[in-house]
Amino acid sequence: MHVCTLRAQLRRPVKLLVLCPDERTAAWACTPIEIEDDPNGMVLRPWALGPNHIPVVEDWEQARSSPELAVLSASAHGDNEAVLKAVQYALDTVPEDRSLIYNDYIVSKLSSAAQKTWEALMATGTYEWQTDFARKHIAEGEAEAIILFLEARGLKVEAEQQKRIRECTDLDLLSEWVRRAATVREVEELFA
């Protein structure tokens, strides 16, 4: 439907690209579709892109120079740890408003085993976040976890204490607070 509308608006041929999760779907998706109500007898011939058509991007510099290709590579070849490391490196070059979307897309396409690898890569503690955007979101998550953990332990976290925790952007300090949150008897001890 959208292809026909776009063709009518542009008054020129258009192509439909279908990203497919497997080769069987790609073979099916490239089947020509005859548009019955089109007076010109249009036949839509979709381009179907399956995993075998997507290159394996393991080189970090290639991933950085073409992050969208690296994202597609990770979605198709996520069982390859080198591909995941390359896309992890590439995501730091992507504008902040797209980085989380790409990450979400990658994770949604990974097998369970590849998701565990991805989570391990992200949690190694050796990866240094390159963008303020990434550091900000990691800090926000850590702050919320600290507050929830303290409350789960039955400690009352006052509004001013919550504000102090949420405003902290020092990832090392937040990590220390996470450790302290397990043993403090009062929330104020967290900041000692």
Side-chain angles (χ1 to χ4, degrees):
M1 182 75 162
H2 295 292
V3 172
C4 294
T5 303
L6 188 58
R7 179 176 185 236
Q9 288 174 345
L10 297 175
R11 295 188 178 135
R12 63 175 50 176
V14 296
K15 287 285 187 179
L16 172 63
L17 175 64
V18 184
L19 297 176
C20 303
D22 55 63
E23 291 307 315
R24 183 174 179 212
T25 305
W28 168 83
C30 67
T31 304
I33 304 167
E34 186 175 329
I35 309 301
E36 293 179 16
D37 294 337
D38 186 66
N40 299 320
M42 178 182 164
V43 176
L44 178 62
R45 299 184 197 302
W47 290 348
L49 193 62
N52 292 345
H53 297 97
I54 299 172
V56 175
V57 178
E58 297 176 326
D59 179 76
W60 289 26
E61 290 309 318
Q62 180 188 10
R64 233 184 180 160
S65 68
S66 186
E68 286 77 14
L69 181 60
V71 168
L72 286 175
S73 180
S75 70
H77 310 291
D79 291 329
N80 180 332
E81 188 172 335
V83 169
L84 294 180
K85 286 180 179 179
V87 76
Q88 178 187 31
Y89 184 71
L91 285 180
D92 285 331
T93 66
V94 175
E96 295 173 355
D97 62 331
R98 286 188 280 160
S99 182
L100 288 176
I101 294 169
Y102 288 171
N103 183 62
D104 188 56
Y105 177 77
I106 291 166
V107 171
S108 74
K109 302 301 178 201
L110 296 177
S111 67
S112 296
Q115 282 182 5
K116 289 178 182 172
T117 301
W118 181 251
E119 290 169 9
L121 285 172
M122 301 305 276
T124 58
T126 59
Y127 182 75
E128 184 176 326
W129 297 102
Q130 303 296 309
T131 64
D132 290 337
F133 177 75
R135 285 188 291 275
K136 176 182 177 250
H137 285 283
I138 297 298
E140 287 173 357
E142 291 283 314
E144 292 307 314
I146 292 166
I147 293 167
L148 288 171
F149 185 58
L150 290 168
E151 289 175 343
R153 290 190 54 225
L155 299 172
K156 172 98 171 99
V157 186
E158 301 294 337
E160 191 58 38
Q161 294 167 327
Q162 288 186 25
K163 182 177 185 234
R164 183 172 177 187
I165 294 168
R166 286 187 176 117
E167 288 179 350
C168 182
T169 57
D170 181 335
L171 295 178
D172 291 333
L173 181 56
L174 286 166
S175 291
E176 179 59 30
W177 287 353
V178 167
R179 284 188 286 283
R180 288 182 191 169
T183 59
V184 295
R185 287 170 281 153
E186 296 178 359
V187 176
E188 202 54 42
E189 293 176 25
L190 190 73
F191 310 115

